[in-house]
DNA sequence: ATGCGAATTAGACACAGTCCAATTGCTGGA
DNA sequence: TCCAGCAATTGGACTGTGTCTAATTCGCAT
């Protein structure tokens, strides 16, 4: 019996707790996210789950990730216009994003305080507050690729 | 001579101040954004600029918006995984986003205070801080479309 | 074994955004 | 006025992410 922290049996339990029928594919997808505990794109997850011999289709990966998000098992992180990242950490926290490298890291929510956010219009509810600190290396970027005017 | 606030001649001046050669197409694109002073997607801008008789291609709209962003004339707002919004307001401010309707509105930065953000790794520079307040109507959403497990 | 609903699948599709080679159009000389 | 040169624009092909659909397979209870 595999008793590592993110064993299949443990993950099956977690899925059930979220009202998700734990199939083989769903467990493997959950494992890709929770074993690494990193921000991954759908594409990366598809590749991870299928290394060795392919066993999960692209449609299933997308279906499953959307299901996990709906059930509150994981979070979407929208920082890059070209792809969504999936975040196994559902604790309140924020993100720091390197716009050059695409690297995404967590900022613990405990230390951060936000005040002065406006009252919501009546009948509105907060889904969440995203804070994204966009950073880059101070070294001047090569301007070669900039399509110029002037 | 048209002296309204966002007349072509005024806009041409603004473009020049940002080192952008003010061509006809660029002025019309700037006008779509600055006259309305709203968050618009590339698609919406393409449609606005070409209502009446078409005069600007899709490639030019994308080229121009990217150029405006590089030159600091407008900002990108990344809140929706499916498309980028362009924001003519470059003053520091944050956003409130209705996840159901896709409606995007500004939050004035003056009233908001954020403390406790971590120090940056050495050699890193902040590009910007995005705060997105994700909200929805409190009315329970129809669950009809939810692909279920359980 | 069989039947049945749920899950998965391949592949077509939709759509935002990029790329490229060809054309257009402006500007500044001669 | 004509022309050369260069920037801007263009259509259309292309890429990549994500969705949809109809058909198949899986797992389970009987």
């Amino acid at each position: 019996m595999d008793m590592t922290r993110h064993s299949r049996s443990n993950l099956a339990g977690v899925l059930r707790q979220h009202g998700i029928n734990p199939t083989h594919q769903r467990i493997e997808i959950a494992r890709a996210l929770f074993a690494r505990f990193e921000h991954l794109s759908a594409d990366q997850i598809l590749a991870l789950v299928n290394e060795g011999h392919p066993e999960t289709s692209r449609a299933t990966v997308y279906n499953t990730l959307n299901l996990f998000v709906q059930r509150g098992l994981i979070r979407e992180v929208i920082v890059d216009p070209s792809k969504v990242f999936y975040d196994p950490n559902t604790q309140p926290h924020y993100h720091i994003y390197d716009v050059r490298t695409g690297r995404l890291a967590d900022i613990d929510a405990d230390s951060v305080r936000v005040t002065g956010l406006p009252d919501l219009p009546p009948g509105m509810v907060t889904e969440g507050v995203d804070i994204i600190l966009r950073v880059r290396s101070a070294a001047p970027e090569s301007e070669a690729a900039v399509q110029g005017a002037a």
Side-chain angles (χ1 to χ4, degrees), chain A:
Chain A
M1 180 74 57
D2 177 0
M3 281 317 286
T4 55
R5 225 148 41 84
H6 298 293
S7 65
R8 287 174 181 77
S9 51
N10 273 357
L11 286 169
V14 172
L15 295 193
R16 273 192 216 94
Q17 282 164 26
H18 286 80
I20 297 166
N21 197 346
T23 66
H24 178 61
Q25 285 89 340
R26 287 169 177 176
I27 289 172
E28 288 306 311
I29 290 167
R31 215 150 77 104
L33 279 161
F34 286 99
R36 274 156 252 266
F37 216 72
E38 274 172 13
H39 309 92
L40 298 174
S41 66
D43 240 40
Q44 292 175 306
I45 292 165
L46 178 60
L48 286 171
V49 157
N50 286 333
E51 68 186 7
H53 57 101
E55 50 190 12
T56 307
S57 71
R58 191 164 57 120
T60 295
V61 169
Y62 279 102
N63 287 345
T64 299
L65 290 171
N66 288 334
L67 177 64
F68 285 3
V69 169
Q70 280 167 15
R71 292 293 201 274
L73 184 61
I74 63 175
R75 270 172 54 174
E76 283 181 338
V77 184
I78 299 165
V79 288
D80 179 321
S82 77
K83 60 169 72 84
V84 172
F85 286 99
Y86 293 91
D87 189 343
N89 181 1
T90 54
Q91 297 304 308
H93 69 281
Y94 306 119
H95 291 105
I96 179 166
Y97 182 62
D98 187 319
V99 297
R100 295 258 180 86
T101 67
R103 196 170 215 76
L104 183 60
D106 284 357
I107 298 175
D108 198 41
D110 295 339
S111 46
V112 179
R113 186 120 300 135
V114 184
T115 57
L117 287 176
D119 294 333
L120 297 188
M124 289 281 160
V125 172
T126 301
E127 282 266 301
V129 179
D130 291 358
I131 299 182
I132 299 142
L133 192 50
R134 289 177 191 275
V135 302
R136 58 177 175 76
S137 146
E141 184 170 25
S142 157
E143 301 243 350
V146 176
Q147 186 199 48

